[in-house]
Short mmCIF file of all heavy atoms in Angstrom, two decimals:
data_model
loop_
_atom_site.label_atom_id
_atom_site.label_comp_id
_atom_site.label_asym_id
_atom_site.label_seq_id
_atom_site.Cartn_x
_atom_site.Cartn_y
_atom_site.Cartn_z
N GLU A 459 14.49 -15.98 -22.09
CA GLU A 459 15.92 -16.17 -22.23
C GLU A 459 16.30 -17.65 -22.12
O GLU A 459 17.15 -18.11 -22.90
CB GLU A 459 16.61 -15.41 -21.04
CG GLU A 459 16.71 -13.89 -21.36
CD GLU A 459 17.57 -13.19 -20.33
OE1 GLU A 459 18.39 -13.87 -19.65
OE2 GLU A 459 17.57 -11.98 -20.32
N ALA A 460 15.62 -18.40 -21.23
CA ALA A 460 15.98 -19.81 -21.12
C ALA A 460 15.53 -20.54 -22.36
O ALA A 460 16.25 -21.37 -22.87
CB ALA A 460 15.29 -20.36 -19.90
N VAL A 461 14.31 -20.22 -22.85
CA VAL A 461 13.85 -20.86 -24.04
C VAL A 461 14.74 -20.55 -25.29
O VAL A 461 15.13 -21.40 -26.10
CB VAL A 461 12.38 -20.57 -24.38
CG1 VAL A 461 11.91 -21.05 -25.74
CG2 VAL A 461 11.45 -21.08 -23.24
N GLY A 462 15.07 -19.18 -25.38
CA GLY A 462 15.89 -18.77 -26.49
C GLY A 462 17.25 -19.38 -26.51
O GLY A 462 17.80 -19.70 -27.55
N ALA A 463 17.83 -19.64 -25.32
CA ALA A 463 19.25 -20.16 -25.24
C ALA A 463 19.14 -21.61 -25.83
O ALA A 463 20.11 -22.02 -26.50
CB ALA A 463 19.69 -20.18 -23.81
N LEU A 464 18.12 -22.42 -25.45
CA LEU A 464 18.04 -23.74 -25.94
C LEU A 464 17.76 -23.71 -27.51
O LEU A 464 18.30 -24.60 -28.21
CB LEU A 464 16.88 -24.46 -25.21
CG LEU A 464 17.17 -24.82 -23.83
CD1 LEU A 464 16.02 -25.62 -23.23
CD2 LEU A 464 18.46 -25.64 -23.57
N LEU A 465 16.98 -22.84 -27.93
CA LEU A 465 16.66 -22.75 -29.37
C LEU A 465 17.98 -22.45 -30.19
O LEU A 465 18.18 -23.04 -31.22
CB LEU A 465 15.65 -21.70 -29.69
CG LEU A 465 14.21 -21.99 -29.24
CD1 LEU A 465 13.24 -20.78 -29.53
CD2 LEU A 465 13.69 -23.24 -29.93
N GLU A 466 18.77 -21.52 -29.68
CA GLU A 466 19.99 -21.13 -30.38
C GLU A 466 20.95 -22.28 -30.40
O GLU A 466 21.66 -22.51 -31.30
CB GLU A 466 20.61 -19.86 -29.70
CG GLU A 466 19.86 -18.67 -29.98
CD GLU A 466 20.51 -17.40 -29.49
OE1 GLU A 466 21.76 -17.31 -29.58
OE2 GLU A 466 19.84 -16.41 -29.04
N ARG A 467 21.01 -23.10 -29.34
CA ARG A 467 21.83 -24.23 -29.28
C ARG A 467 21.46 -25.29 -30.38
O ARG A 467 22.34 -25.99 -30.94
CB ARG A 467 21.84 -24.95 -27.89
CG ARG A 467 22.69 -24.36 -26.86
CD ARG A 467 22.68 -25.17 -25.62
NE ARG A 467 22.72 -24.25 -24.42
CZ ARG A 467 22.44 -24.67 -23.27
NH1 ARG A 467 21.97 -25.89 -23.03
NH2 ARG A 467 22.55 -23.80 -22.25
N ARG A 468 20.23 -25.36 -30.71
CA ARG A 468 19.71 -26.25 -31.71
C ARG A 468 19.67 -25.58 -33.12
O ARG A 468 19.08 -26.19 -34.03
CB ARG A 468 18.30 -26.70 -31.31
CG ARG A 468 18.34 -27.72 -30.10
CD ARG A 468 16.99 -27.86 -29.46
NE ARG A 468 16.93 -28.81 -28.48
CZ ARG A 468 17.41 -28.77 -27.26
NH1 ARG A 468 18.04 -27.63 -26.87
NH2 ARG A 468 17.35 -29.79 -26.42
N GLY A 469 20.10 -24.35 -33.16
CA GLY A 469 20.25 -23.70 -34.52
C GLY A 469 18.83 -23.24 -34.98
O GLY A 469 18.68 -23.14 -36.20
N ILE A 470 17.92 -22.97 -34.09
CA ILE A 470 16.56 -22.55 -34.48
C ILE A 470 16.43 -21.07 -34.32
O ILE A 470 16.69 -20.53 -33.23
CB ILE A 470 15.53 -23.33 -33.62
CG1 ILE A 470 15.61 -24.83 -33.78
CG2 ILE A 470 14.08 -22.83 -33.95
CD1 ILE A 470 14.72 -25.61 -32.80
N GLY A 471 16.12 -20.36 -35.38
CA GLY A 471 15.93 -18.92 -35.34
C GLY A 471 14.61 -18.62 -34.81
O GLY A 471 13.64 -19.28 -35.04
N TYR A 472 14.52 -17.45 -34.03
CA TYR A 472 13.24 -17.13 -33.46
C TYR A 472 13.14 -15.54 -33.35
O TYR A 472 14.13 -14.88 -33.31
CB TYR A 472 13.05 -17.77 -32.09
CG TYR A 472 14.02 -17.30 -31.05
CD1 TYR A 472 13.71 -16.37 -30.07
CD2 TYR A 472 15.34 -17.88 -30.96
CE1 TYR A 472 14.59 -15.95 -29.13
CE2 TYR A 472 16.20 -17.50 -29.97
CZ TYR A 472 15.80 -16.49 -29.06
OH TYR A 472 16.76 -16.11 -28.12
N TYR A 473 11.89 -15.14 -33.29
CA TYR A 473 11.53 -13.71 -33.08
C TYR A 473 10.79 -13.62 -31.80
O TYR A 473 9.80 -14.36 -31.54
CB TYR A 473 10.69 -13.28 -34.22
CG TYR A 473 10.32 -11.76 -34.22
CD1 TYR A 473 11.28 -10.85 -34.39
CD2 TYR A 473 9.00 -11.33 -34.09
CE1 TYR A 473 11.01 -9.45 -34.42
CE2 TYR A 473 8.75 -9.97 -34.09
CZ TYR A 473 9.66 -9.05 -34.22
OH TYR A 473 9.41 -7.72 -34.25
N ASP A 474 11.27 -12.67 -30.87
CA ASP A 474 10.76 -12.68 -29.48
C ASP A 474 10.28 -11.28 -29.08
O ASP A 474 11.03 -10.38 -28.98
CB ASP A 474 11.99 -13.12 -28.63
CG ASP A 474 11.65 -13.17 -27.07
OD1 ASP A 474 10.41 -13.13 -26.71
OD2 ASP A 474 12.56 -13.17 -26.28
N VAL A 475 9.01 -11.18 -28.94
CA VAL A 475 8.42 -9.99 -28.51
C VAL A 475 7.32 -10.20 -27.50
O VAL A 475 6.72 -11.28 -27.49
CB VAL A 475 7.85 -9.01 -29.67
CG1 VAL A 475 8.96 -8.48 -30.53
CG2 VAL A 475 6.92 -9.86 -30.53
N GLY A 476 6.93 -9.14 -26.72
CA GLY A 476 5.84 -9.31 -25.75
C GLY A 476 5.28 -7.97 -25.36
O GLY A 476 5.88 -6.88 -25.60
N TYR A 477 4.16 -8.03 -24.69
CA TYR A 477 3.40 -6.85 -24.22
C TYR A 477 2.85 -7.14 -22.85
O TYR A 477 2.12 -8.17 -22.69
CB TYR A 477 2.33 -6.50 -25.23
CG TYR A 477 1.66 -5.12 -25.13
CD1 TYR A 477 2.12 -4.09 -25.91
CD2 TYR A 477 0.72 -4.87 -24.19
CE1 TYR A 477 1.53 -2.85 -25.88
CE2 TYR A 477 0.09 -3.65 -24.08
CZ TYR A 477 0.54 -2.62 -24.93
OH TYR A 477 -0.06 -1.36 -24.82
N GLY A 478 3.21 -6.31 -21.89
CA GLY A 478 2.77 -6.56 -20.48
C GLY A 478 1.22 -6.59 -20.30
O GLY A 478 0.51 -5.79 -20.81
N GLY A 479 0.90 -7.69 -19.62
CA GLY A 479 -0.59 -7.84 -19.26
C GLY A 479 -1.43 -8.16 -20.52
O GLY A 479 -2.63 -7.88 -20.48
N CYS A 480 -0.83 -8.68 -21.59
CA CYS A 480 -1.50 -8.83 -22.86
C CYS A 480 -1.60 -10.26 -23.23
O CYS A 480 -0.63 -10.99 -23.29
CB CYS A 480 -0.78 -8.08 -23.92
SG CYS A 480 -1.49 -8.25 -25.55
N ILE A 481 -2.86 -10.76 -23.41
CA ILE A 481 -3.02 -12.12 -23.84
C ILE A 481 -2.63 -12.25 -25.34
O ILE A 481 -2.99 -11.39 -26.11
CB ILE A 481 -4.50 -12.63 -23.66
CG1 ILE A 481 -4.61 -14.10 -23.89
CG2 ILE A 481 -5.48 -11.76 -24.50
CD1 ILE A 481 -5.98 -14.69 -23.42
N PRO A 482 -1.81 -13.24 -25.72
CA PRO A 482 -1.38 -13.23 -27.06
C PRO A 482 -2.31 -13.90 -28.13
O PRO A 482 -1.93 -14.65 -29.02
CB PRO A 482 -0.09 -14.17 -26.96
CG PRO A 482 -0.33 -15.06 -25.85
CD PRO A 482 -1.25 -14.29 -24.92
N LEU A 483 -3.57 -13.50 -27.94
CA LEU A 483 -4.60 -13.87 -29.00
C LEU A 483 -5.32 -12.66 -29.40
O LEU A 483 -5.68 -11.80 -28.55
CB LEU A 483 -5.64 -14.82 -28.21
CG LEU A 483 -5.05 -16.14 -27.63
CD1 LEU A 483 -6.14 -16.91 -26.88
CD2 LEU A 483 -4.58 -17.07 -28.85
N PRO A 484 -5.50 -12.50 -30.70
CA PRO A 484 -6.20 -11.36 -31.16
C PRO A 484 -7.63 -11.25 -30.70
O PRO A 484 -8.28 -12.27 -30.27
CB PRO A 484 -6.21 -11.48 -32.66
CG PRO A 484 -5.16 -12.45 -32.93
CD PRO A 484 -5.18 -13.40 -31.77
#
Side-chain angles (χ1 to χ4, degrees):
E459 285 190 11
V461 172
L464 290 181
L465 291 176
E466 290 190 32
R467 278 185 217 164
R468 289 162 172 75
I470 301 173
Y472 65 98
Y473 185 64
D474 179 17
V475 290
Y477 194 98
C480 177
I481 189 169
L483 298 173

